[in-house]
Amino acid sequence: MKLKIRYLLEMAYHKLTEIFFEIAGMFPKKNLFFFESFHGRQYSDNPRAIYEYLKDNHPDIQCVWAVKRGFEQPFLEAKVPFVYRMGLRWLFTMPRAKYWVFNTRMPKWMKKTPGTIYLQTWHGTPLKRLGLDIKEVNMPGADTERYRHDFLQEASRWDFLISPNQYSSHIFRSAFGYSGEILQVGYPRNEWLMVDDRKTRIDFWERLGYESPGSDEVVFLYTPTWRDDDFLKKGSYNYADAFPFEKIIKKIPNCRIIVRTHYLISKHFDFSKYGSKVIDGSNFPDIRELFLNAHCLITDYSSTMFDFAYTERPMIFYMYDLNKYAEEIRGLYFDPRELPGPLAFNEEELIESMLSINRSRNNGKDNFGDEGYQRFYRKFCPLYEKKPSEIIVDDILLKK
């Protein structure tokens, strides 16, 4: 009985929130940028890069972030103005903001009213199929038809969509069913990876709680993505990790492994038994610092490969479930053999690839000179005349 009453109260509160959100959106808009990254869980990604550009170049413009309760620490440390997502201040701030800057899909009841400009930055170059391009949806709480309908409805709200390259622009059209304006200017978050200043390395390890690695140590960054069919509930996924940490540490005693799981993975790993050899970097505010402090990236189907390529450092692709993932779970847009690094289909091949990187490491740029890496870089990491954030803010948004 109590559970039923609680459920009814939650439903009533949610309905009232929807109504007030829509009413608040009818009031005059404020010259305000409203940001959210990964549903309020991070101070990161393209929204962060755009916010930092605004703060440095247009300090007079008001900016506010939406933050999920329990995830406020990075915002407090950086002194970033925020409101709690779904809270009372949020309810009277987001609907009245002139600009929305988000990197994920938003609930469809958060209606954009006239006067608001919705900039969707998205959060990656796709290897795995997206949205309408997924043949059969295996996610909880959505069948294929409903999932596609929701994607179309979401994309219809966007005024602008950021794209990092021509390849992504083409896919975004079909995957999102998007007919609006695409800003093919590059991802603002990657501006940081192309700057020679590496001062952030000084305190990176200290903030992680570990001593800096010695000159003879090699740092691997492992970024596994989620599996659509291995879910706990809607928006929450498990990950049956197949990474042989213990074997790797024995074979490569001078290595460190930083693990960065996808934000939708809810399972928390306990790496304490490995000491400083395996480090959980999943809750580190922004992955870009992890990129700069890693000598090599190991991933499966994550879009991190396209961003990490800007560092010009080696990559290994651990695709132990390639056939299932490509044929049953999600599907891929191109043949993995085009990727700029070795494909490992089992533990032995993974360890051998890591040993090879360790043996030949030369300032973290071992295979960038390879023809395959150069071809990959030209296709997915184009350089633009202006910084993406400058084009987006000065040339487009502030002129609206």
Side-chain angles (χ1 to χ4, degrees), residues 102-124:
F102 305 141
N103 68 344
T104 56
R105 291 188 296 146
M106 305 300 289
K108 57 186 177 183
W109 61 264
M110 293 181 185
K111 296 179 180 178
K112 181 176 77 76
T113 49
T116 290
I117 297 171
Y118 186 167
L119 172 68
Q120 173 57 248
T121 74
W122 204 240
H123 51 267

mmCIF file with all atom_site columns, all heavy atoms in Angstrom, residues 102-124:
data_model
loop_
_atom_site.group_PDB
_atom_site.id
_atom_site.type_symbol
_atom_site.label_atom_id
_atom_site.label_alt_id
_atom_site.label_comp_id
_atom_site.label_asym_id
_atom_site.label_entity_id
_atom_site.label_seq_id
_atom_site.pdbx_PDB_ins_code
_atom_site.Cartn_x
_atom_site.Cartn_y
_atom_site.Cartn_z
_atom_site.occupancy
_atom_site.B_iso_or_equiv
_atom_site.pdbx_formal_charge
_atom_site.auth_seq_id
_atom_site.auth_comp_id
_atom_site.auth_asym_id
_atom_site.auth_atom_id
_atom_site.pdbx_PDB_model_num
ATOM 1   N N   . PHE A 1 102 ? 23.421 20.831 -24.958 1.00 0.00 ? 102 PHE A N   1
ATOM 2   C CA  . PHE A 1 102 ? 23.398 19.478 -24.390 1.00 0.00 ? 102 PHE A CA  1
ATOM 3   C C   . PHE A 1 102 ? 24.161 18.514 -25.291 1.00 0.00 ? 102 PHE A C   1
ATOM 4   O O   . PHE A 1 102 ? 24.282 18.741 -26.496 1.00 0.00 ? 102 PHE A O   1
ATOM 5   C CB  . PHE A 1 102 ? 21.955 18.975 -24.236 1.00 0.00 ? 102 PHE A CB  1
ATOM 6   C CG  . PHE A 1 102 ? 21.061 19.890 -23.444 1.00 0.00 ? 102 PHE A CG  1
ATOM 7   C CD1 . PHE A 1 102 ? 19.748 20.095 -23.831 1.00 0.00 ? 102 PHE A CD1 1
ATOM 8   C CD2 . PHE A 1 102 ? 21.529 20.555 -22.321 1.00 0.00 ? 102 PHE A CD2 1
ATOM 9   C CE1 . PHE A 1 102 ? 18.909 20.930 -23.106 1.00 0.00 ? 102 PHE A CE1 1
ATOM 10  C CE2 . PHE A 1 102 ? 20.706 21.395 -21.589 1.00 0.00 ? 102 PHE A CE2 1
ATOM 11  C CZ  . PHE A 1 102 ? 19.387 21.582 -21.977 1.00 0.00 ? 102 PHE A CZ  1
ATOM 12  N N   . ASN A 1 103 ? 24.626 17.413 -24.715 1.00 0.00 ? 103 ASN A N   1
ATOM 13  C CA  . ASN A 1 103 ? 25.370 16.423 -25.509 1.00 0.00 ? 103 ASN A CA  1
ATOM 14  C C   . ASN A 1 103 ? 24.709 15.054 -25.558 1.00 0.00 ? 103 ASN A C   1
ATOM 15  O O   . ASN A 1 103 ? 25.291 14.094 -26.055 1.00 0.00 ? 103 ASN A O   1
ATOM 16  C CB  . ASN A 1 103 ? 26.808 16.293 -25.001 1.00 0.00 ? 103 ASN A CB  1
ATOM 17  C CG  . ASN A 1 103 ? 26.889 15.658 -23.618 1.00 0.00 ? 103 ASN A CG  1
ATOM 18  O OD1 . ASN A 1 103 ? 25.895 15.564 -22.894 1.00 0.00 ? 103 ASN A OD1 1
ATOM 19  N ND2 . ASN A 1 103 ? 28.081 15.227 -23.230 1.00 0.00 ? 103 ASN A ND2 1
ATOM 20  N N   . THR A 1 104 ? 23.497 14.924 -25.005 1.00 0.00 ? 104 THR A N   1
ATOM 21  C CA  . THR A 1 104 ? 22.741 13.676 -25.083 1.00 0.00 ? 104 THR A CA  1
ATOM 22  C C   . THR A 1 104 ? 21.283 14.019 -25.378 1.00 0.00 ? 104 THR A C   1
ATOM 23  O O   . THR A 1 104 ? 20.882 15.179 -25.302 1.00 0.00 ? 104 THR A O   1
ATOM 24  C CB  . THR A 1 104 ? 22.801 12.884 -23.768 1.00 0.00 ? 104 THR A CB  1
ATOM 25  O OG1 . THR A 1 104 ? 22.340 13.729 -22.697 1.00 0.00 ? 104 THR A OG1 1
ATOM 26  C CG2 . THR A 1 104 ? 24.208 12.407 -23.468 1.00 0.00 ? 104 THR A CG2 1
ATOM 27  N N   . ARG A 1 105 ? 20.502 13.013 -25.662 1.00 0.00 ? 105 ARG A N   1
ATOM 28  C CA  . ARG A 1 105 ? 19.072 13.234 -25.856 1.00 0.00 ? 105 ARG A CA  1
ATOM 29  C C   . ARG A 1 105 ? 18.423 13.641 -24.539 1.00 0.00 ? 105 ARG A C   1
ATOM 30  O O   . ARG A 1 105 ? 18.836 13.203 -23.474 1.00 0.00 ? 105 ARG A O   1
ATOM 31  C CB  . ARG A 1 105 ? 18.399 11.968 -26.386 1.00 0.00 ? 105 ARG A CB  1
ATOM 32  C CG  . ARG A 1 105 ? 18.782 11.604 -27.810 1.00 0.00 ? 105 ARG A CG  1
ATOM 33  C CD  . ARG A 1 105 ? 17.947 10.460 -28.328 1.00 0.00 ? 105 ARG A CD  1
ATOM 34  N NE  . ARG A 1 105 ? 18.174 9.234  -27.575 1.00 0.00 ? 105 ARG A NE  1
ATOM 35  C CZ  . ARG A 1 105 ? 17.243 8.320  -27.334 1.00 0.00 ? 105 ARG A CZ  1
ATOM 36  N NH1 . ARG A 1 105 ? 16.001 8.513  -27.758 1.00 0.00 ? 105 ARG A NH1 1
ATOM 37  N NH2 . ARG A 1 105 ? 17.530 7.220  -26.670 1.00 0.00 ? 105 ARG A NH2 1
ATOM 38  N N   . MET A 1 106 ? 17.390 14.463 -24.634 1.00 0.00 ? 106 MET A N   1
ATOM 39  C CA  . MET A 1 106 ? 16.673 14.937 -23.461 1.00 0.00 ? 106 MET A CA  1
ATOM 40  C C   . MET A 1 106 ? 15.279 14.328 -23.418 1.00 0.00 ? 106 MET A C   1
ATOM 41  O O   . MET A 1 106 ? 14.716 13.974 -24.461 1.00 0.00 ? 106 MET A O   1
ATOM 42  C CB  . MET A 1 106 ? 16.570 16.466 -23.492 1.00 0.00 ? 106 MET A CB  1
ATOM 43  C CG  . MET A 1 106 ? 17.917 17.168 -23.616 1.00 0.00 ? 106 MET A CG  1
ATOM 44  S SD  . MET A 1 106 ? 19.026 16.797 -22.255 1.00 0.00 ? 106 MET A SD  1
ATOM 45  C CE  . MET A 1 106 ? 18.205 17.690 -20.936 1.00 0.00 ? 106 MET A CE  1
ATOM 46  N N   . PRO A 1 107 ? 14.691 14.183 -22.224 1.00 0.00 ? 107 PRO A N   1
ATOM 47  C CA  . PRO A 1 107 ? 13.311 13.664 -22.138 1.00 0.00 ? 107 PRO A CA  1
ATOM 48  C C   . PRO A 1 107 ? 12.366 14.475 -23.017 1.00 0.00 ? 107 PRO A C   1
ATOM 49  O O   . PRO A 1 107 ? 12.453 15.704 -23.074 1.00 0.00 ? 107 PRO A O   1
ATOM 50  C CB  . PRO A 1 107 ? 12.970 13.838 -20.654 1.00 0.00 ? 107 PRO A CB  1
ATOM 51  C CG  . PRO A 1 107 ? 14.287 13.764 -19.955 1.00 0.00 ? 107 PRO A CG  1
ATOM 52  C CD  . PRO A 1 107 ? 15.266 14.441 -20.890 1.00 0.00 ? 107 PRO A CD  1
ATOM 53  N N   . LYS A 1 108 ? 11.470 13.800 -23.711 1.00 0.00 ? 108 LYS A N   1
ATOM 54  C CA  . LYS A 1 108 ? 10.638 14.483 -24.695 1.00 0.00 ? 108 LYS A CA  1
ATOM 55  C C   . LYS A 1 108 ? 9.660  15.475 -24.069 1.00 0.00 ? 108 LYS A C   1
ATOM 56  O O   . LYS A 1 108 ? 9.181  16.389 -24.742 1.00 0.00 ? 108 LYS A O   1
ATOM 57  C CB  . LYS A 1 108 ? 9.882  13.461 -25.551 1.00 0.00 ? 108 LYS A CB  1
ATOM 58  C CG  . LYS A 1 108 ? 9.016  12.486 -24.780 1.00 0.00 ? 108 LYS A CG  1
ATOM 59  C CD  . LYS A 1 108 ? 8.455  11.435 -25.728 1.00 0.00 ? 108 LYS A CD  1
ATOM 60  C CE  . LYS A 1 108 ? 7.631  10.392 -24.983 1.00 0.00 ? 108 LYS A CE  1
ATOM 61  N NZ  . LYS A 1 108 ? 7.134  9.322  -25.889 1.00 0.00 ? 108 LYS A NZ  1
ATOM 62  N N   . TRP A 1 109 ? 9.379  15.330 -22.768 1.00 0.00 ? 109 TRP A N   1
ATOM 63  C CA  . TRP A 1 109 ? 8.447  16.265 -22.130 1.00 0.00 ? 109 TRP A CA  1
ATOM 64  C C   . TRP A 1 109 ? 9.101  17.631 -21.849 1.00 0.00 ? 109 TRP A C   1
ATOM 65  O O   . TRP A 1 109 ? 8.405  18.594 -21.551 1.00 0.00 ? 109 TRP A O   1
ATOM 66  C CB  . TRP A 1 109 ? 7.870  15.686 -20.838 1.00 0.00 ? 109 TRP A CB  1
ATOM 67  C CG  . TRP A 1 109 ? 8.877  15.368 -19.763 1.00 0.00 ? 109 TRP A CG  1
ATOM 68  C CD1 . TRP A 1 109 ? 9.445  14.157 -19.529 1.00 0.00 ? 109 TRP A CD1 1
ATOM 69  C CD2 . TRP A 1 109 ? 9.399  16.256 -18.777 1.00 0.00 ? 109 TRP A CD2 1
ATOM 70  N NE1 . TRP A 1 109 ? 10.304 14.223 -18.462 1.00 0.00 ? 109 TRP A NE1 1
ATOM 71  C CE2 . TRP A 1 109 ? 10.284 15.505 -17.975 1.00 0.00 ? 109 TRP A CE2 1
ATOM 72  C CE3 . TRP A 1 109 ? 9.210  17.603 -18.487 1.00 0.00 ? 109 TRP A CE3 1
ATOM 73  C CZ2 . TRP A 1 109 ? 11.000 16.073 -16.915 1.00 0.00 ? 109 TRP A CZ2 1
ATOM 74  C CZ3 . TRP A 1 109 ? 9.914  18.167 -17.428 1.00 0.00 ? 109 TRP A CZ3 1
ATOM 75  C CH2 . TRP A 1 109 ? 10.791 17.407 -16.657 1.00 0.00 ? 109 TRP A CH2 1
ATOM 76  N N   . MET A 1 110 ? 10.437 17.707 -21.948 1.00 0.00 ? 110 MET A N   1
ATOM 77  C CA  . MET A 1 110 ? 11.122 18.990 -21.786 1.00 0.00 ? 110 MET A CA  1
ATOM 78  C C   . MET A 1 110 ? 10.984 19.773 -23.093 1.00 0.00 ? 110 MET A C   1
ATOM 79  O O   . MET A 1 110 ? 11.876 19.795 -23.939 1.00 0.00 ? 110 MET A O   1
ATOM 80  C CB  . MET A 1 110 ? 12.604 18.779 -21.443 1.00 0.00 ? 110 MET A CB  1
ATOM 81  C CG  . MET A 1 110 ? 12.831 18.155 -20.089 1.00 0.00 ? 110 MET A CG  1
ATOM 82  S SD  . MET A 1 110 ? 14.608 17.975 -19.736 1.00 0.00 ? 110 MET A SD  1
ATOM 83  C CE  . MET A 1 110 ? 14.553 17.077 -18.178 1.00 0.00 ? 110 MET A CE  1
ATOM 84  N N   . LYS A 1 111 ? 9.836  20.380 -23.263 1.00 0.00 ? 111 LYS A N   1
ATOM 85  C CA  . LYS A 1 111 ? 9.503  21.007 -24.530 1.00 0.00 ? 111 LYS A CA  1
ATOM 86  C C   . LYS A 1 111 ? 10.244 22.331 -24.740 1.00 0.00 ? 111 LYS A C   1
ATOM 87  O O   . LYS A 1 111 ? 10.288 23.163 -23.844 1.00 0.00 ? 111 LYS A O   1
ATOM 88  C CB  . LYS A 1 111 ? 7.990  21.236 -24.609 1.00 0.00 ? 111 LYS A CB  1
ATOM 89  C CG  . LYS A 1 111 ? 7.202  19.934 -24.614 1.00 0.00 ? 111 LYS A CG  1
ATOM 90  C CD  . LYS A 1 111 ? 5.713  20.189 -24.671 1.00 0.00 ? 111 LYS A CD  1
ATOM 91  C CE  . LYS A 1 111 ? 4.940  18.873 -24.668 1.00 0.00 ? 111 LYS A CE  1
ATOM 92  N NZ  . LYS A 1 111 ? 3.467  19.099 -24.680 1.00 0.00 ? 111 LYS A NZ  1
ATOM 93  N N   . LYS A 1 112 ? 10.803 22.456 -25.918 1.00 0.00 ? 112 LYS A N   1
ATOM 94  C CA  . LYS A 1 112 ? 11.470 23.705 -26.301 1.00 0.00 ? 112 LYS A CA  1
ATOM 95  C C   . LYS A 1 112 ? 10.413 24.656 -26.849 1.00 0.00 ? 112 LYS A C   1
ATOM 96  O O   . LYS A 1 112 ? 9.725  24.345 -27.816 1.00 0.00 ? 112 LYS A O   1
ATOM 97  C CB  . LYS A 1 112 ? 12.545 23.446 -27.365 1.00 0.00 ? 112 LYS A CB  1
ATOM 98  C CG  . LYS A 1 112 ? 13.289 24.704 -27.798 1.00 0.00 ? 112 LYS A CG  1
ATOM 99  C CD  . LYS A 1 112 ? 14.407 24.357 -28.769 1.00 0.00 ? 112 LYS A CD  1
ATOM 100 C CE  . LYS A 1 112 ? 13.886 24.066 -30.150 1.00 0.00 ? 112 LYS A CE  1
ATOM 101 N NZ  . LYS A 1 112 ? 13.497 25.301 -30.883 1.00 0.00 ? 112 LYS A NZ  1
ATOM 102 N N   . THR A 1 113 ? 10.293 25.807 -26.217 1.00 0.00 ? 113 THR A N   1
ATOM 103 C CA  . THR A 1 113 ? 9.296  26.788 -26.647 1.00 0.00 ? 113 THR A CA  1
ATOM 104 C C   . THR A 1 113 ? 9.948  27.857 -27.519 1.00 0.00 ? 113 THR A C   1
ATOM 105 O O   . THR A 1 113 ? 11.178 27.999 -27.532 1.00 0.00 ? 113 THR A O   1
ATOM 106 C CB  . THR A 1 113 ? 8.632  27.436 -25.409 1.00 0.00 ? 113 THR A CB  1
ATOM 107 O OG1 . THR A 1 113 ? 9.655  27.857 -24.493 1.00 0.00 ? 113 THR A OG1 1
ATOM 108 C CG2 . THR A 1 113 ? 7.724  26.439 -24.706 1.00 0.00 ? 113 THR A CG2 1
ATOM 109 N N   . PRO A 1 114 ? 9.156  28.622 -28.268 1.00 0.00 ? 114 PRO A N   1
ATOM 110 C CA  . PRO A 1 114 ? 9.712  29.653 -29.155 1.00 0.00 ? 114 PRO A CA  1
ATOM 111 C C   . PRO A 1 114 ? 10.628 30.615 -28.405 1.00 0.00 ? 114 PRO A C   1
ATOM 112 O O   . PRO A 1 114 ? 10.310 31.051 -27.296 1.00 0.00 ? 114 PRO A O   1
ATOM 113 C CB  . PRO A 1 114 ? 8.459  30.373 -29.668 1.00 0.00 ? 114 PRO A CB  1
ATOM 114 C CG  . PRO A 1 114 ? 7.392  29.328 -29.628 1.00 0.00 ? 114 PRO A CG  1
ATOM 115 C CD  . PRO A 1 114 ? 7.687  28.511 -28.398 1.00 0.00 ? 114 PRO A CD  1
ATOM 116 N N   . GLY A 1 115 ? 11.762 30.916 -29.033 1.00 0.00 ? 115 GLY A N   1
ATOM 117 C CA  . GLY A 1 115 ? 12.717 31.829 -28.419 1.00 0.00 ? 115 GLY A CA  1
ATOM 118 C C   . GLY A 1 115 ? 13.941 31.127 -27.872 1.00 0.00 ? 115 GLY A C   1
ATOM 119 O O   . GLY A 1 115 ? 14.956 31.756 -27.581 1.00 0.00 ? 115 GLY A O   1
ATOM 120 N N   . THR A 1 116 ? 13.860 29.798 -27.721 1.00 0.00 ? 116 THR A N   1
ATOM 121 C CA  . THR A 1 116 ? 15.010 29.010 -27.250 1.00 0.00 ? 116 THR A CA  1
ATOM 122 C C   . THR A 1 116 ? 15.717 28.369 -28.436 1.00 0.00 ? 116 THR A C   1
ATOM 123 O O   . THR A 1 116 ? 15.074 27.822 -29.334 1.00 0.00 ? 116 THR A O   1
ATOM 124 C CB  . THR A 1 116 ? 14.576 27.912 -26.262 1.00 0.00 ? 116 THR A CB  1
ATOM 125 O OG1 . THR A 1 116 ? 14.159 28.513 -25.032 1.00 0.00 ? 116 THR A OG1 1
ATOM 126 C CG2 . THR A 1 116 ? 15.721 26.957 -25.958 1.00 0.00 ? 116 THR A CG2 1
ATOM 127 N N   . ILE A 1 117 ? 17.045 28.449 -28.443 1.00 0.00 ? 117 ILE A N   1
ATOM 128 C CA  . ILE A 1 117 ? 17.875 27.827 -29.479 1.00 0.00 ? 117 ILE A CA  1
ATOM 129 C C   . ILE A 1 117 ? 18.541 26.596 -28.875 1.00 0.00 ? 117 ILE A C   1
ATOM 130 O O   . ILE A 1 117 ? 19.273 26.700 -27.886 1.00 0.00 ? 117 ILE A O   1
ATOM 131 C CB  . ILE A 1 117 ? 18.940 28.816 -29.994 1.00 0.00 ? 117 ILE A CB  1
ATOM 132 C CG1 . ILE A 1 117 ? 18.256 30.022 -30.655 1.00 0.00 ? 117 ILE A CG1 1
ATOM 133 C CG2 . ILE A 1 117 ? 19.886 28.126 -30.974 1.00 0.00 ? 117 ILE A CG2 1
ATOM 134 C CD1 . ILE A 1 117 ? 19.212 31.148 -30.997 1.00 0.00 ? 117 ILE A CD1 1
ATOM 135 N N   . TYR A 1 118 ? 18.283 25.450 -29.444 1.00 0.00 ? 118 TYR A N   1
ATOM 136 C CA  . TYR A 1 118 ? 18.764 24.174 -28.921 1.00 0.00 ? 118 TYR A CA  1
ATOM 137 C C   . TYR A 1 118 ? 19.979 23.735 -29.747 1.00 0.00 ? 118 TYR A C   1
ATOM 138 O O   . TYR A 1 118 ? 19.858 23.354 -30.903 1.00 0.00 ? 118 TYR A O   1
ATOM 139 C CB  . TYR A 1 118 ? 17.640 23.149 -29.004 1.00 0.00 ? 118 TYR A CB  1
ATOM 140 C CG  . TYR A 1 118 ? 17.899 21.794 -28.382 1.00 0.00 ? 118 TYR A CG  1
ATOM 141 C CD1 . TYR A 1 118 ? 16.837 20.909 -28.184 1.00 0.00 ? 118 TYR A CD1 1
ATOM 142 C CD2 . TYR A 1 118 ? 19.157 21.357 -27.998 1.00 0.00 ? 118 TYR A CD2 1
ATOM 143 C CE1 . TYR A 1 118 ? 17.023 19.654 -27.627 1.00 0.00 ? 118 TYR A CE1 1
ATOM 144 C CE2 . TYR A 1 118 ? 19.360 20.108 -27.442 1.00 0.00 ? 118 TYR A CE2 1
ATOM 145 C CZ  . TYR A 1 118 ? 18.277 19.253 -27.262 1.00 0.00 ? 118 TYR A CZ  1
ATOM 146 O OH  . TYR A 1 118 ? 18.477 18.003 -26.712 1.00 0.00 ? 118 TYR A OH  1
ATOM 147 N N   . LEU A 1 119 ? 21.158 23.780 -29.123 1.00 0.00 ? 119 LEU A N   1
ATOM 148 C CA  . LEU A 1 119 ? 22.384 23.284 -29.755 1.00 0.00 ? 119 LEU A CA  1
ATOM 149 C C   . LEU A 1 119 ? 22.688 21.891 -29.219 1.00 0.00 ? 119 LEU A C   1
ATOM 150 O O   . LEU A 1 119 ? 22.957 21.715 -28.032 1.00 0.00 ? 119 LEU A O   1
ATOM 151 C CB  . LEU A 1 119 ? 23.566 24.212 -29.448 1.00 0.00 ? 119 LEU A CB  1
ATOM 152 C CG  . LEU A 1 119 ? 24.943 23.706 -29.889 1.00 0.00 ? 119 LEU A CG  1
ATOM 153 C CD1 . LEU A 1 119 ? 25.053 23.680 -31.406 1.00 0.00 ? 119 LEU A CD1 1
ATOM 154 C CD2 . LEU A 1 119 ? 26.054 24.568 -29.299 1.00 0.00 ? 119 LEU A CD2 1
ATOM 155 N N   . GLN A 1 120 ? 22.613 20.903 -30.084 1.00 0.00 ? 120 GLN A N   1
ATOM 156 C CA  . GLN A 1 120 ? 22.949 19.530 -29.702 1.00 0.00 ? 120 GLN A CA  1
ATOM 157 C C   . GLN A 1 120 ? 24.398 19.259 -30.136 1.00 0.00 ? 120 GLN A C   1
ATOM 158 O O   . GLN A 1 120 ? 24.716 19.270 -31.324 1.00 0.00 ? 120 GLN A O   1
ATOM 159 C CB  . GLN A 1 120 ? 21.996 18.548 -30.384 1.00 0.00 ? 120 GLN A CB  1
ATOM 160 C CG  . GLN A 1 120 ? 22.341 17.082 -30.193 1.00 0.00 ? 120 GLN A CG  1
ATOM 161 C CD  . GLN A 1 120 ? 22.425 16.649 -28.735 1.00 0.00 ? 120 GLN A CD  1
ATOM 162 O OE1 . GLN A 1 120 ? 23.510 16.324 -28.244 1.00 0.00 ? 120 GLN A OE1 1
ATOM 163 N NE2 . GLN A 1 120 ? 21.295 16.664 -28.030 1.00 0.00 ? 120 GLN A NE2 1
ATOM 164 N N   . THR A 1 121 ? 25.271 19.040 -29.173 1.00 0.00 ? 121 THR A N   1
ATOM 165 C CA  . THR A 1 121 ? 26.686 18.856 -29.499 1.00 0.00 ? 121 THR A CA  1
ATOM 166 C C   . THR A 1 121 ? 27.032 17.409 -29.788 1.00 0.00 ? 121 THR A C   1
ATOM 167 O O   . THR A 1 121 ? 28.076 17.118 -30.355 1.00 0.00 ? 121 THR A O   1
ATOM 168 C CB  . THR A 1 121 ? 27.583 19.335 -28.341 1.00 0.00 ? 121 THR A CB  1
ATOM 169 O OG1 . THR A 1 121 ? 27.522 18.398 -27.264 1.00 0.00 ? 121 THR A OG1 1
ATOM 170 C CG2 . THR A 1 121 ? 27.171 20.718 -27.858 1.00 0.00 ? 121 THR A CG2 1
ATOM 171 N N   . TRP A 1 122 ? 26.184 16.488 -29.364 1.00 0.00 ? 122 TRP A N   1
ATOM 172 C CA  . TRP A 1 122 ? 26.441 15.043 -29.389 1.00 0.00 ? 122 TRP A CA  1
ATOM 173 C C   . TRP A 1 122 ? 27.766 14.744 -28.700 1.00 0.00 ? 122 TRP A C   1
ATOM 174 O O   . TRP A 1 122 ? 28.400 15.624 -28.120 1.00 0.00 ? 122 TRP A O   1
ATOM 175 C CB  . TRP A 1 122 ? 26.354 14.462 -30.794 1.00 0.00 ? 122 TRP A CB  1
ATOM 176 C CG  . TRP A 1 122 ? 26.034 12.985 -30.765 1.00 0.00 ? 122 TRP A CG  1
ATOM 177 C CD1 . TRP A 1 122 ? 26.785 11.964 -31.263 1.00 0.00 ? 122 TRP A CD1 1
ATOM 178 C CD2 . TRP A 1 122 ? 24.880 12.375 -30.157 1.00 0.00 ? 122 TRP A CD2 1
ATOM 179 N NE1 . TRP A 1 122 ? 26.179 10.750 -31.011 1.00 0.00 ? 122 TRP A NE1 1
ATOM 180 C CE2 . TRP A 1 122 ? 25.003 10.977 -30.324 1.00 0.00 ? 122 TRP A CE2 1
ATOM 181 C CE3 . TRP A 1 122 ? 23.771 12.852 -29.463 1.00 0.00 ? 122 TRP A CE3 1
ATOM 182 C CZ2 . TRP A 1 122 ? 24.062 10.062 -29.853 1.00 0.00 ? 122 TRP A CZ2 1
ATOM 183 C CZ3 . TRP A 1 122 ? 22.830 11.964 -28.992 1.00 0.00 ? 122 TRP A CZ3 1
ATOM 184 C CH2 . TRP A 1 122 ? 22.986 10.587 -29.191 1.00 0.00 ? 122 TRP A CH2 1
ATOM 185 N N   . HIS A 1 123 ? 28.225 13.493 -28.731 1.00 0.00 ? 123 HIS A N   1
ATOM 186 C CA  . HIS A 1 123 ? 29.381 13.147 -27.901 1.00 0.00 ? 123 HIS A CA  1
ATOM 187 C C   . HIS A 1 123 ? 30.295 12.103 -28.529 1.00 0.00 ? 123 HIS A C   1
ATOM 188 O O   . HIS A 1 123 ? 30.973 11.373 -27.827 1.00 0.00 ? 123 HIS A O   1
ATOM 189 C CB  . HIS A 1 123 ? 28.899 12.648 -26.530 1.00 0.00 ? 123 HIS A CB  1
ATOM 190 C CG  . HIS A 1 123 ? 27.859 11.563 -26.608 1.00 0.00 ? 123 HIS A CG  1
ATOM 191 N ND1 . HIS A 1 123 ? 26.510 11.836 -26.581 1.00 0.00 ? 123 HIS A ND1 1
ATOM 192 C CD2 . HIS A 1 123 ? 27.957 10.222 -26.709 1.00 0.00 ? 123 HIS A CD2 1
ATOM 193 C CE1 . HIS A 1 123 ? 25.830 10.718 -26.662 1.00 0.00 ? 123 HIS A CE1 1
ATOM 194 N NE2 . HIS A 1 123 ? 26.690 9.715  -26.751 1.00 0.00 ? 123 HIS A NE2 1
ATOM 195 N N   . GLY A 1 124 ? 30.328 12.045 -29.852 1.00 0.00 ? 124 GLY A N   1
ATOM 196 C CA  . GLY A 1 124 ? 31.295 11.117 -30.431 1.00 0.00 ? 124 GLY A CA  1
ATOM 197 C C   . GLY A 1 124 ? 31.106 10.876 -31.909 1.00 0.00 ? 124 GLY A C   1
ATOM 198 O O   . GLY A 1 124 ? 30.031 11.059 -32.469 1.00 0.00 ? 124 GLY A O   1
#
